[in-house]
Amino acid sequence: MSDALIQLALFAAKSLIILLLVLVILIAFFVLLAKSKEKIKGRLAIKNLNKKYEDMAESLLSETLTKKEFKRYLKEKKAKEKALLKSEENIKNIYVLHFNGDVKASAVSSLSEEINAILSIAKPSDEVVVRLESGGGIVYGYGLAAAQLLRIRAQKIPLTITIDKVAASGGYMMATVANKIYAAPFAIVGSIGVVVQLPNFHRLLKEKHIDFEQLTAGEFKRTLTLFGENTHEGKEKLQHEIEDVHQQFKNLITEHRQQIDIQKVATGEHWLGQQALDLNLVDAIKTSDDYLMEQSKVAKLYEISYEVKKPFLHKLTSSAAEIRDKLVGKLMLTQF
C-alpha cells in the first residue's frame, strides 16, 4: 500500500512539474508576443568619416615612423586642425548614405528617414553621396526610392551616386537622378528594361481534373494568373502595361542624363564600368573609397544611417519572412 502511495505521489509531483513548465512556456510566449507588438523604434547613427580616416592613418604611422617622426606628425596634425577650425565656415559637409537594395527595395524606408534628417539641415553648398548596390526589383519600390533621391535634387543639393558592385535595372533608375555617377571598373551597370515572370499551373491542374474558378469585375482586373488559362487578350494587355513602364523608365533617364543615346542603351542589357562610361551611363571610373578619401581632404564627411531596433519576436520571424519575400519576388509581376 505504501509503495502505491509513493508511486502516486511521484506521479503527482511529475505532473505538477510538467504543468509548471507548460505555464512558464506559455507566459514566456505571451510576453514575447506583447513585446512584438511594441512600436519598432529607430535612431539616426552618425559617424565622422574624417576621424575614421585620420585614426587609421595615425595607427599605421605610429608603427611605421620613428618616435621623433611620429611626434612631429602629431604636432603638424594639431596645427592643421587649428587652421581648419578658423576656416570651418567655408568647408562643405558631405553626407554619406548606403543603399543595399533587395527585390522589394526594403531599404527605402530607412533611406526616407535619412533624407528627412539631411534635408532639415543641409545647404546647397553641401553634398549627398549614396553608395548604391542593387540589382533592381519591383517597380513601385524602386520608383519610390528614386523619388526620395529626387527630393535632394529639388533642394538644389548636389547628389553623387557611387557604384562599386552593381546598379542595374531599378538600381540604375535610382542612380540616373544623380548629378554625378561614379562606377568601379567591374561594376555592373544598366539593364534598362522591365520583366514580368509568372509560372502557370493550368495544364497540370487540367491533367489532374482540378477546376480553378476565378471571378473578376472589370475586363482586365487580372491579366495573367497562376492557375487559370491565360488568354491572348490578357497577355497583350500586360505587354502594353510593361511597355508603358519601360517608356517612363526611359523618360526619367533622358530627363536627367541627356547625353545618353537612350535607344542604344534601353535594351535590357548590362555593361561593366568602362563600357558604361563609353555609353555615358556613368561619369567616371572611380570607387566610392577613392572618391570619399579625396573629398575628406577638403570637406567634412558624415556617414548617416537610420538603424531600426526590432522586437525580439520580430527577429525570430524575420528569417522566414525573408525567404517568403524572395519567393514572392520570383513570382512578382512587373519588376525592373
Side-chain angles (χ1 to χ4, degrees):
M1 185 68 179
S2 59
D3 288 343
L5 288 173
I6 291 170
Q7 291 296 326
L8 184 62
L10 287 172
F11 175 76
K14 289 178 181 178
S15 300
L16 182 61
I17 291 170
I18 292 171
L19 181 62
L20 288 171
L21 284 173
V22 170
L23 285 172
V24 168
I25 291 170
L26 285 173
I27 290 168
F29 174 77
F30 284 113
V31 168
L32 290 174
L33 189 62
K35 285 186 176 181
S36 72
K37 293 179 180 179
E38 293 175 2
K39 187 178 180 181
I40 295 177
K41 298 178 180 178
R43 70 180 187 91
L44 205 64
I46 305 166
K47 184 187 292 183
N48 188 319
L49 292 183
N50 298 74
K51 189 175 185 306
K52 173 188 171 184
Y53 295 144
E54 288 168 6
D55 289 347
M56 290 169 62
E58 191 170 311
S59 296
L60 189 57
L61 289 171
S62 67
E63 297 296 328
T64 57
L65 296 179
T66 63
K67 288 185 179 180
K68 186 177 179 180
E69 289 171 332
F70 186 62
K71 190 175 180 180
R72 186 166 62 248
Y73 160 77
L74 291 176
K75 188 176 180 181
E76 290 173 355
K77 179 188 172 187
K78 194 172 182 179
K80 286 179 182 177
E81 287 174 350
K82 284 183 179 179
L84 190 64
L85 284 171
K86 291 179 180 178
S87 60
E88 202 168 34
E89 291 182 2
N90 300 321
I91 296 176
K92 73 173 182 178
N93 295 323
I94 296 180
Y95 304 100
V96 182
L97 309 180
H98 291 258
F99 187 91
N100 293 310
D102 56 15
V103 171
K104 294 180 70 177
S106 304
V108 73
S109 56
S110 294
L111 179 69
S112 171
E113 297 292 348
E114 292 157 5
I115 291 174
N116 287 341
I118 290 168
L119 293 184
S120 68
I121 62 167
K123 305 180 294 293
S125 57
D126 295 329
E127 181 182 353
V128 176
V129 175
V130 180
R131 303 176 86 169
L132 175 62
E133 303 293 344
S134 176
I138 55 177
V139 169
Y140 57 82
Y142 280 91
L144 178 58
Q148 292 292 350
L149 295 180
L150 282 171
R151 293 172 61 204
I152 299 169
R153 292 292 306 272
Q155 296 300 315
K156 309 298 181 184
I157 300 168
L159 173 64
T160 301
I161 298 286
T162 63
I163 307 164
D164 288 330
K165 295 177 183 177
V166 58
S169 206
Y172 184 70
M173 185 178 72
M174 288 179 65
T176 197
V177 307
N179 298 91
K180 293 289 182 182
I181 305 174
Y182 299 123
F186 287 91
I188 294 173
V189 180
S191 191
I192 301 167
V194 186
V195 61
V196 172
Q197 52 188 5
L198 192 71
N200 183 266
F201 300 98
H202 174 68
R203 285 188 296 175
L204 177 63
L205 295 177
K206 192 174 180 180
E207 287 175 5
K208 301 299 180 182
H209 303 290
I210 299 172
D211 292 329
F212 172 73
E213 303 293 345
Q214 179 176 265
L215 304 178
T216 62
E219 185 181 358
F220 294 112
K221 177 60 180 176
R222 190 67 76 234
T223 50
L224 291 191
T225 171
L226 274 168
F227 304 109
E229 183 175 6
N230 288 317
T231 65
H232 172 73
E233 291 77 16
K235 293 177 184 177
E236 194 174 57
K237 172 63 175 173
L238 186 57
Q239 184 64 45
H240 288 315
E241 288 176 357
I242 64 173
E243 285 174 359
D244 287 341
V245 173
H246 190 212
Q247 186 58 52
Q248 290 186 51
F249 191 176
K250 292 190 290 183
N251 291 346
L252 184 70
I253 293 170
T254 53
E255 180 183 353
H256 295 283
R257 296 191 68 81
Q258 297 176 5
Q259 66 271 41
I260 283 180
D261 181 349
I262 194 65
Q263 299 306 319
K264 189 174 183 179
V265 300
T267 58
E269 299 170 80
H270 62 264
W271 296 272
L272 296 179
Q274 185 57 54
Q275 296 169 310
L277 177 62
D278 295 338
L279 292 166
N280 294 314
L281 292 168
V282 301
D283 297 296
I285 300 300
K286 188 178 294 186
T287 66
S288 62
D289 292 313
D290 281 335
Y291 183 69
L292 293 177
M293 290 193 76
E294 286 172 8
Q295 294 300 308
S296 69
K297 297 171 184 176
V298 296
K300 293 184 289 185
L301 274 61
Y302 300 99
E303 187 177 75
I304 310 293
S305 60
Y306 186 75
E307 299 175 350
V308 178
K309 185 179 178 182
K310 297 178 181 177
F312 181 70
L313 195 60
H314 188 279
K315 291 178 182 178
L316 290 178
T317 58
S318 62
S319 295
E322 285 174 9
I323 294 171
R324 179 204 64 201
D325 290 343
K326 286 179 181 178
L327 291 173
V328 170
K330 296 293 184 184
L331 304 178
M332 189 73 67
L333 286 180
T334 319
Q335 67 182 55
F336 287 124

